[in-house]
Amino acid sequence: QRMYRKLLHKVELSGCAFVSDWTLLAISRYCFLVTEVSLRRHADIGPEVTDAGVVELARRVPKLEKLDLTCCSSLTNTSISTIAEHCPRLVDLDLSGCDRITDLAVMSLANSECGARLERLLLQSCQLLTGEAVQELANRCTSLTEVSLAACERVRGDAVANLVNSCTRLSILN
């Protein structure tokens, strides 16, 4: 079992309907060297995780560099703020379809230690986000190379223009 803990660096559970907060708790207890986790949901099939599971994962697996939470629609600002606080190595975060997160979550990411390191941030269909969150990304997350704001209807053009001007490494904007 010790060998298992040391060798496991990537956990790919996309589309796995049996995954729950208990799964995340087990990963966080025994696989603390994991750097990549994908919990992406596909067409409403996939992990049924909540803030409780993601909070434990973030607190106990601080070496996370890549995290995909696409369409984990029950997640709130609590999860994202905990990720921001406890995952300073994070460079790639996909929150597409996490439609309950607000500007506060994105601002906590931008103002955290991982904010300056973030290279890829996908926020597609996070419909509660506004230009304020994007402005904070422009001010703090200048290492971004890819950002998705597709279907973020409250984000205006001036905020996107500021992001483009501030993030000189940006090569993909959706």
PDB file of all heavy atoms in Angstrom, residues 7 9 16 19 24 27 45-46 52 61 68 74 81-82 105 114 117 123 125 127 134 150 167:
ATOM      1  N   LEU A   7       3.479   6.134  -5.914  1.00  0.00           N
ATOM      2  CA  LEU A   7       3.468   6.075  -7.367  1.00  0.00           C
ATOM      3  C   LEU A   7       2.294   6.813  -8.007  1.00  0.00           C
ATOM      4  O   LEU A   7       2.395   7.244  -9.140  1.00  0.00           O
ATOM      5  CB  LEU A   7       3.472   4.623  -7.838  1.00  0.00           C
ATOM      6  CG  LEU A   7       4.736   3.836  -7.535  1.00  0.00           C
ATOM      7  CD1 LEU A   7       4.573   2.388  -7.991  1.00  0.00           C
ATOM      8  CD2 LEU A   7       5.943   4.471  -8.203  1.00  0.00           C
ATOM      9  N   HIS A   9       0.122   9.584  -9.179  1.00  0.00           N
ATOM     10  CA  HIS A   9       0.213  11.030  -9.356  1.00  0.00           C
ATOM     11  C   HIS A   9      -0.978  11.609 -10.117  1.00  0.00           C
ATOM     12  O   HIS A   9      -1.232  12.799 -10.033  1.00  0.00           O
ATOM     13  CB  HIS A   9       1.506  11.403 -10.086  1.00  0.00           C
ATOM     14  CG  HIS A   9       2.712  11.158  -9.256  1.00  0.00           C
ATOM     15  ND1 HIS A   9       3.137  12.030  -8.295  1.00  0.00           N
ATOM     16  CD2 HIS A   9       3.564  10.108  -9.214  1.00  0.00           C
ATOM     17  CE1 HIS A   9       4.207  11.541  -7.695  1.00  0.00           C
ATOM     18  NE2 HIS A   9       4.481  10.369  -8.230  1.00  0.00           N
ATOM     19  N   CYS A  16     -17.297   8.855 -14.209  1.00  0.00           N
ATOM     20  CA  CYS A  16     -17.500   7.691 -13.323  1.00  0.00           C
ATOM     21  C   CYS A  16     -18.610   8.001 -12.326  1.00  0.00           C
ATOM     22  O   CYS A  16     -18.423   8.770 -11.384  1.00  0.00           O
ATOM     23  CB  CYS A  16     -16.210   7.352 -12.575  1.00  0.00           C
ATOM     24  SG  CYS A  16     -14.875   6.850 -13.641  1.00  0.00           S
ATOM     25  N   VAL A  19     -18.344   7.642  -8.242  1.00  0.00           N
ATOM     26  CA  VAL A  19     -17.460   8.496  -7.450  1.00  0.00           C
ATOM     27  C   VAL A  19     -18.285   9.460  -6.587  1.00  0.00           C
ATOM     28  O   VAL A  19     -19.225  10.084  -7.065  1.00  0.00           O
ATOM     29  CB  VAL A  19     -16.493   9.282  -8.370  1.00  0.00           C
ATOM     30  CG1 VAL A  19     -15.675  10.273  -7.570  1.00  0.00           C
ATOM     31  CG2 VAL A  19     -15.593   8.310  -9.112  1.00  0.00           C
ATOM     32  N   LEU A  24     -13.231  10.852  -2.715  1.00  0.00           N
ATOM     33  CA  LEU A  24     -12.280  11.949  -2.550  1.00  0.00           C
ATOM     34  C   LEU A  24     -11.600  11.888  -1.186  1.00  0.00           C
ATOM     35  O   LEU A  24     -10.410  12.187  -1.063  1.00  0.00           O
ATOM     36  CB  LEU A  24     -12.966  13.296  -2.744  1.00  0.00           C
ATOM     37  CG  LEU A  24     -13.561  13.556  -4.122  1.00  0.00           C
ATOM     38  CD1 LEU A  24     -14.086  14.986  -4.209  1.00  0.00           C
ATOM     39  CD2 LEU A  24     -12.572  13.278  -5.221  1.00  0.00           C
ATOM     40  N   ILE A  27      -8.905   9.217  -1.464  1.00  0.00           N
ATOM     41  CA  ILE A  27      -7.768   9.735  -2.236  1.00  0.00           C
ATOM     42  C   ILE A  27      -6.949  10.681  -1.376  1.00  0.00           C
ATOM     43  O   ILE A  27      -5.722  10.603  -1.330  1.00  0.00           O
ATOM     44  CB  ILE A  27      -8.255  10.439  -3.516  1.00  0.00           C
ATOM     45  CG1 ILE A  27      -8.835   9.426  -4.494  1.00  0.00           C
ATOM     46  CG2 ILE A  27      -7.121  11.241  -4.169  1.00  0.00           C
ATOM     47  CD1 ILE A  27      -9.593  10.047  -5.645  1.00  0.00           C
ATOM     48  N   ILE A  45     -23.597  12.537 -16.373  1.00  0.00           N
ATOM     49  CA  ILE A  45     -23.124  11.279 -15.805  1.00  0.00           C
ATOM     50  C   ILE A  45     -21.712  11.514 -15.303  1.00  0.00           C
ATOM     51  O   ILE A  45     -20.868  12.056 -16.014  1.00  0.00           O
ATOM     52  CB  ILE A  45     -23.122  10.152 -16.846  1.00  0.00           C
ATOM     53  CG1 ILE A  45     -24.539   9.890 -17.341  1.00  0.00           C
ATOM     54  CG2 ILE A  45     -22.508   8.883 -16.257  1.00  0.00           C
ATOM     55  CD1 ILE A  45     -24.608   8.963 -18.526  1.00  0.00           C
ATOM     56  N   GLY A  46     -21.475  11.135 -14.073  1.00  0.00           N
ATOM     57  CA  GLY A  46     -20.134  11.301 -13.536  1.00  0.00           C
ATOM     58  C   GLY A  46     -20.145  11.464 -12.038  1.00  0.00           C
ATOM     59  O   GLY A  46     -21.150  11.178 -11.380  1.00  0.00           O
ATOM     60  N   ALA A  52     -18.019  19.266   0.445  1.00  0.00           N
ATOM     61  CA  ALA A  52     -17.365  18.504   1.514  1.00  0.00           C
ATOM     62  C   ALA A  52     -16.199  17.673   0.969  1.00  0.00           C
ATOM     63  O   ALA A  52     -15.103  17.683   1.533  1.00  0.00           O
ATOM     64  CB  ALA A  52     -18.373  17.600   2.218  1.00  0.00           C
ATOM     65  N   VAL A  61      -4.320  17.354  -0.183  1.00  0.00           N
ATOM     66  CA  VAL A  61      -3.496  17.068  -1.364  1.00  0.00           C
ATOM     67  C   VAL A  61      -2.973  18.409  -1.913  1.00  0.00           C
ATOM     68  O   VAL A  61      -3.386  18.866  -2.968  1.00  0.00           O
ATOM     69  CB  VAL A  61      -4.296  16.282  -2.433  1.00  0.00           C
ATOM     70  CG1 VAL A  61      -3.394  15.840  -3.576  1.00  0.00           C
ATOM     71  CG2 VAL A  61      -4.975  15.064  -1.822  1.00  0.00           C
ATOM     72  N   ASP A  68      -9.726  19.225 -12.658  1.00  0.00           N
ATOM     73  CA  ASP A  68     -10.852  19.376 -13.581  1.00  0.00           C
ATOM     74  C   ASP A  68     -12.142  19.042 -12.836  1.00  0.00           C
ATOM     75  O   ASP A  68     -12.364  17.900 -12.447  1.00  0.00           O
ATOM     76  CB  ASP A  68     -10.670  18.445 -14.785  1.00  0.00           C
ATOM     77  CG  ASP A  68     -11.734  18.658 -15.854  1.00  0.00           C
ATOM     78  OD1 ASP A  68     -12.759  19.322 -15.592  1.00  0.00           O
ATOM     79  OD2 ASP A  68     -11.532  18.148 -16.970  1.00  0.00           O
ATOM     80  N   SER A  74     -22.844  21.086  -8.160  1.00  0.00           N
ATOM     81  CA  SER A  74     -23.220  21.313  -6.761  1.00  0.00           C
ATOM     82  C   SER A  74     -22.142  22.091  -6.000  1.00  0.00           C
ATOM     83  O   SER A  74     -22.348  22.504  -4.868  1.00  0.00           O
ATOM     84  CB  SER A  74     -23.511  19.993  -6.053  1.00  0.00           C
ATOM     85  OG  SER A  74     -22.333  19.226  -5.963  1.00  0.00           O
ATOM     86  N   SER A  81     -12.692  28.513  -2.867  1.00  0.00           N
ATOM     87  CA  SER A  81     -11.888  29.273  -1.901  1.00  0.00           C
ATOM     88  C   SER A  81     -10.912  28.362  -1.162  1.00  0.00           C
ATOM     89  O   SER A  81      -9.771  28.763  -0.892  1.00  0.00           O
ATOM     90  CB  SER A  81     -12.789  29.992  -0.909  1.00  0.00           C
ATOM     91  OG  SER A  81     -13.572  30.947  -1.585  1.00  0.00           O
ATOM     92  N   THR A  82     -11.330  27.151  -0.847  1.00  0.00           N
ATOM     93  CA  THR A  82     -10.445  26.196  -0.175  1.00  0.00           C
ATOM     94  C   THR A  82      -9.331  25.748  -1.114  1.00  0.00           C
ATOM     95  O   THR A  82      -8.172  25.626  -0.693  1.00  0.00           O
ATOM     96  CB  THR A  82     -11.237  24.988   0.354  1.00  0.00           C
ATOM     97  OG1 THR A  82     -12.288  25.462   1.200  1.00  0.00           O
ATOM     98  CG2 THR A  82     -10.348  24.045   1.135  1.00  0.00           C
ATOM     99  N   ALA A 105     -15.455  33.517  -5.567  1.00  0.00           N
ATOM    100  CA  ALA A 105     -14.599  32.339  -5.755  1.00  0.00           C
ATOM    101  C   ALA A 105     -13.433  32.663  -6.678  1.00  0.00           C
ATOM    102  O   ALA A 105     -12.282  32.327  -6.378  1.00  0.00           O
ATOM    103  CB  ALA A 105     -15.416  31.185  -6.329  1.00  0.00           C
ATOM    104  N   CYS A 114      -1.690  30.608  -5.632  1.00  0.00           N
ATOM    105  CA  CYS A 114      -1.767  29.963  -6.944  1.00  0.00           C
ATOM    106  C   CYS A 114      -2.181  30.941  -8.040  1.00  0.00           C
ATOM    107  O   CYS A 114      -1.933  30.682  -9.216  1.00  0.00           O
ATOM    108  CB  CYS A 114      -2.689  28.751  -6.923  1.00  0.00           C
ATOM    109  SG  CYS A 114      -4.447  29.110  -6.842  1.00  0.00           S
ATOM    110  N   ARG A 117       0.433  31.823 -10.441  1.00  0.00           N
ATOM    111  CA  ARG A 117       0.929  30.663 -11.190  1.00  0.00           C
ATOM    112  C   ARG A 117      -0.053  30.150 -12.226  1.00  0.00           C
ATOM    113  O   ARG A 117       0.330  29.438 -13.147  1.00  0.00           O
ATOM    114  CB  ARG A 117       1.208  29.497 -10.240  1.00  0.00           C
ATOM    115  CG  ARG A 117       2.341  29.706  -9.314  1.00  0.00           C
ATOM    116  CD  ARG A 117       2.401  28.501  -8.377  1.00  0.00           C
ATOM    117  NE  ARG A 117       3.427  28.680  -7.393  1.00  0.00           N
ATOM    118  CZ  ARG A 117       4.497  27.926  -7.301  1.00  0.00           C
ATOM    119  NH1 ARG A 117       4.672  26.929  -8.120  1.00  0.00           N
ATOM    120  NH2 ARG A 117       5.388  28.157  -6.370  1.00  0.00           N
ATOM    121  N   LEU A 123     -13.743  28.804 -17.327  1.00  0.00           N
ATOM    122  CA  LEU A 123     -14.924  29.220 -16.560  1.00  0.00           C
ATOM    123  C   LEU A 123     -16.180  29.226 -17.438  1.00  0.00           C
ATOM    124  O   LEU A 123     -17.142  29.915 -17.128  1.00  0.00           O
ATOM    125  CB  LEU A 123     -14.682  30.615 -15.977  1.00  0.00           C
ATOM    126  CG  LEU A 123     -13.493  30.738 -15.033  1.00  0.00           C
ATOM    127  CD1 LEU A 123     -13.154  32.199 -14.769  1.00  0.00           C
ATOM    128  CD2 LEU A 123     -13.774  30.009 -13.732  1.00  0.00           C
ATOM    129  N   SER A 125     -19.625  28.859 -18.996  1.00  0.00           N
ATOM    130  CA  SER A 125     -20.974  28.651 -18.440  1.00  0.00           C
ATOM    131  C   SER A 125     -21.062  28.874 -16.934  1.00  0.00           C
ATOM    132  O   SER A 125     -21.979  28.362 -16.292  1.00  0.00           O
ATOM    133  CB  SER A 125     -21.511  27.258 -18.792  1.00  0.00           C
ATOM    134  OG  SER A 125     -21.596  27.112 -20.193  1.00  0.00           O
ATOM    135  N   GLN A 127     -22.320  31.255 -15.093  1.00  0.00           N
ATOM    136  CA  GLN A 127     -23.177  32.377 -15.452  1.00  0.00           C
ATOM    137  C   GLN A 127     -23.323  33.453 -14.380  1.00  0.00           C
ATOM    138  O   GLN A 127     -23.845  34.526 -14.658  1.00  0.00           O
ATOM    139  CB  GLN A 127     -24.541  31.856 -15.876  1.00  0.00           C
ATOM    140  CG  GLN A 127     -24.435  31.008 -17.120  1.00  0.00           C
ATOM    141  CD  GLN A 127     -25.757  30.447 -17.567  1.00  0.00           C
ATOM    142  OE1 GLN A 127     -26.793  30.727 -16.989  1.00  0.00           O
ATOM    143  NE2 GLN A 127     -25.727  29.651 -18.615  1.00  0.00           N
ATOM    144  N   VAL A 134     -13.293  39.016 -13.671  1.00  0.00           N
ATOM    145  CA  VAL A 134     -12.348  39.019 -14.791  1.00  0.00           C
ATOM    146  C   VAL A 134     -11.311  40.123 -14.600  1.00  0.00           C
ATOM    147  O   VAL A 134     -10.129  39.932 -14.891  1.00  0.00           O
ATOM    148  CB  VAL A 134     -13.099  39.164 -16.133  1.00  0.00           C
ATOM    149  CG1 VAL A 134     -12.124  39.269 -17.295  1.00  0.00           C
ATOM    150  CG2 VAL A 134     -14.043  37.977 -16.330  1.00  0.00           C
ATOM    151  N   ALA A 150     -16.672  31.584 -22.226  1.00  0.00           N
ATOM    152  CA  ALA A 150     -17.824  31.342 -23.090  1.00  0.00           C
ATOM    153  C   ALA A 150     -19.081  31.150 -22.248  1.00  0.00           C
ATOM    154  O   ALA A 150     -19.061  30.489 -21.212  1.00  0.00           O
ATOM    155  CB  ALA A 150     -17.574  30.109 -23.950  1.00  0.00           C
ATOM    156  N   CYS A 167      -2.638  40.127 -19.506  1.00  0.00           N
ATOM    157  CA  CYS A 167      -2.085  38.767 -19.571  1.00  0.00           C
ATOM    158  C   CYS A 167      -1.354  38.592 -20.899  1.00  0.00           C
ATOM    159  O   CYS A 167      -1.915  38.070 -21.876  1.00  0.00           O
ATOM    160  CB  CYS A 167      -3.205  37.736 -19.411  1.00  0.00           C
ATOM    161  SG  CYS A 167      -4.048  37.858 -17.832  1.00  0.00           S
TER     162      CYS A 167
END
